[in-house]
Amino acid sequence: MKRIIAIYPGTFDPPTNGHLDLIQRGAELFDELVVSVLRNSEKTPLFTVEERQEMLAECVQQWGNVRVESFEGLLVDYARSLGAQVVLRGIRAVSDYEYELQMAMMNRRLDSSLETVFMMPAEAYSYLSSRLVREITGLGGTVSGLVPPSVESRLRARLRNAREASRPV
Ligand code: PNS
């Protein structure tokens, strides 16, 4: 039987419980799931690619068929290099749909053999995003229950360092 390899690409700055929810669903459905952090994003990230890979790797240990990588360049080229047939993406709300549809259609135009599969995370994570996690943490709020504990402590440490660096001498 043909093995289905799926890529779950993203920025993951930082990984959230919503991402993990999707990883679990993907791990159950596909033979192999490669969670891959985009390098050279135009965005200015809070965590380096290596830090994000580490955080993800810590969280996916429980699934034997999931591994974490990073990639740069076109997603379709990266998928081809892995022999992946599927791109996994999450849709939380209708507002995600337009952006996701545009990407899925463009990727299909670039490589018609690559299929995008959308999954919905648990309802509890339907309003969760890395951007809000960064904002809440930066303003001193709690993100407990929204990100894995290891990510939460890294966020706190990052914030402490930022505060110390900005303290007048
Ligand atoms: O978590 P994000 O930021 O929504 O993920 C976006 C991502 C990484 C999936 C997308 O930016 C991507 O695939 N970039 C790789 C470059 C590429 O292939 N661009 C054309 C896609 S239509």
Side-chain angles (χ1 to χ4, degrees):
M1 266 228 318
K2 195 172 168 190
R3 287 179 65 77
I4 303 290
I5 304 172
I7 301 175
Y8 179 28
T11 307
F12 304 108
D13 187 36
T16 67
N17 285 347
H19 293 129
L20 287 195
D21 178 292
L22 220 72
I23 291 170
Q24 171 159 23
R25 290 171 201 279
E28 283 165 14
L29 194 65
F30 304 113
D31 297 300
E32 278 178 54
L33 181 65
V34 184
V35 182
S36 203
V37 181
L38 175 68
R39 280 187 180 276
N40 292 340
S41 163
E42 285 161 16
K43 303 172 188 171
T44 313
L46 179 64
F47 292 102
T48 65
V49 171
E50 287 69 27
E51 286 171 324
R52 284 176 268 156
Q53 274 187 259
E54 269 171 36
M55 285 188 272
L56 283 163
E58 281 162 18
C59 298
V60 304
Q61 281 169 9
Q62 57 194 298
W63 298 291
N65 60 339
V66 180
R67 66 177 194 273
V68 179
E69 293 189 356
S70 64
F71 77 105
E72 54 194 339
L74 281 178
L75 181 62
V76 291
D77 291 339
Y78 173 60
R80 212 173 287 133
S81 76
L82 292 181
Q85 305 92 327
V86 169
V87 173
L88 173 63
R89 292 286 291 172
I91 291 208
R92 293 161 297 189
V94 180
S95 49
D96 283 338
Y97 180 73
E98 220 170 304
Y99 168 62
E100 293 298 336
L101 180 73
Q102 191 182 17
M103 267 203 304
M105 289 303 166
M106 191 57 84
N107 281 331
R108 179 176 283 170
R109 186 191 157 95
L110 293 169
D111 184 345
S112 60
S113 68
L114 189 63
E115 207 57 70
T116 300
V117 171
F118 294 118
M119 281 185 176
M120 276 73 70
E123 215 178 324
Y125 304 130
S126 59
Y127 54 87
L128 175 58
S129 73
S130 297
R131 186 185 62 78
L132 284 181
V133 164
R134 290 196 303 273
E135 186 174 319
I136 292 165
T137 315
L139 296 171
T142 177
V143 289
S144 170
L146 299 178
V147 298
S150 59
V151 173
E152 198 182 343
S153 45
R154 281 194 196 233
L155 277 165
R156 264 200 238 108
R158 184 55 41 103
L159 193 70
R160 227 179 3 252
N161 292 346
R163 281 212 191 104
E164 275 159 23
S166 65
R167 198 172 290 154
V169 279

